Amino acid sequence: MIMSHKLKIRSKLSKIDLKFINQANEIKNLSLAEDKKVGAIIANHKNGEILAIGYNKMFDDLGFQNCEDETGQSLPYVIHAEESAVIEFLKKDISNIDLSELTLYCSYSACINCAKLIQHAGIKRFLFTENYHKFKKGKHSPYEFLMKMNVEVIEYNINLLSKNNSEYLGIVEYNSKHKSYSIWKAMLQRCYNESFLKIRPSYIGCSVVDEWHNFQIFAKWYEDNYIEGFVLDKDILFKNNKIYGPDTCCFVPSQINQLFTKTNKLRGELPIGVCFNGNNYLARLKKFGKQINLGTYKTIQEAFDVYKIQKEIYIKEVAEIWKDKIPNNVYQALMNYNVEITD
């Protein structure tokens, strides 16, 4: 028998629900929509496993990412965030998944088409934070449909937030005008934006620790650690690191950051610091903005060995220049940096 339920409005949520609805609100920033960015997560609210994420976007095959036309109206073939998440979810083998333990978390209420997709996927719980005005009332509203189909619908009313909840939802102290916001958004883009990863595949596999999906936590870390004019770096303290987090990241001057810029496409299969010179191999080093030739050698290994020695000397020189302005752990990492042929 189909049972009807009432829309539940909550000002407090469990810790796991707060975590996921917060992440949905951050994921929306990956969208390139100008007017309304929407983010969604399908997760197990029992064990904390994330099964799919989504945000409003265009089909890649269309050749453009704009979600609106020249008048600012949303294009009819935009993929909605809930739709994107459900499509990703249904690509998985869900035969052993307990659908009753799944929640679709979304930064906005669903349209009727997305509501039908949620029901079709078998998801039994829908939690959102902001209601489209036109869907607030009426027996034919999307969430009225979901409730009739025995889907639990919860509106998390951000206007009723208690002070204790701000730690998770992240909407109290810092906003998008804060100077750290663009850095935080760019960090998420480098890790999770599909279009960006196609252009910069070296970032494939990079991720952001869960706590930094909360902008408030990242902004507080930024306030405590930022040095004027410095840039965020994740690779110096831990070589080849792919995780952005408070234990792996630091702020360094651009000169230090650029010490480790790689040009993989230009050098091809040769190791760093080595290029062809006829039938031989040239070792060269960019030092203080100028390319310096270090000699021509018969083997790749000989050329790299010369480059390695000079590069490590150069890194130490730069470390000494900034010693009094950079944190000691950054200074020590530079002084002990080991250049490898696989870099």
Side-chain angles (χ1 to χ4, degrees), residues 24 27-28 38-42 52-55 81-82 85 104-107:
I27 285 172
K28 71 182 182 183
V38 185
I41 292 177
I42 298 175
I53 68 169
Y55 51 91
E82 307 96 312
L104 194 153
Y105 300 86
C106 192
S107 58

Side-chain angles (χ1 to χ4, degrees), residues 46 62-63 144 157 184 199 229 236 282 284 308 340 343:
K46 297 290 187 181
L62 289 174
E144 182 68 22
N157 193 322
W184 174 78
I199 300 171
I236 291 177
L282 174 68
R284 60 182 183 180
K308 170 183 168 67
E340 298 174 282
D343 287 351

Side-chain angles (χ1 to χ4, degrees), residues 117-129:
L117 273 175
I118 292 167
Q119 191 277 331
H120 173 73
I123 297 167
K124 298 300 182 183
R125 197 164 175 262
F126 178 62
L127 196 158
F128 64 96
T129 57

Side-chain angles (χ1 to χ4, degrees), residues 73 87 121 148 160 210 272 305 314 318:
Q73 294 296 312
I87 290 172
K148 285 181 177 180
L160 300 177
D210 285 348
I272 191 168
D305 289 342
Y314 177 47
V318 175

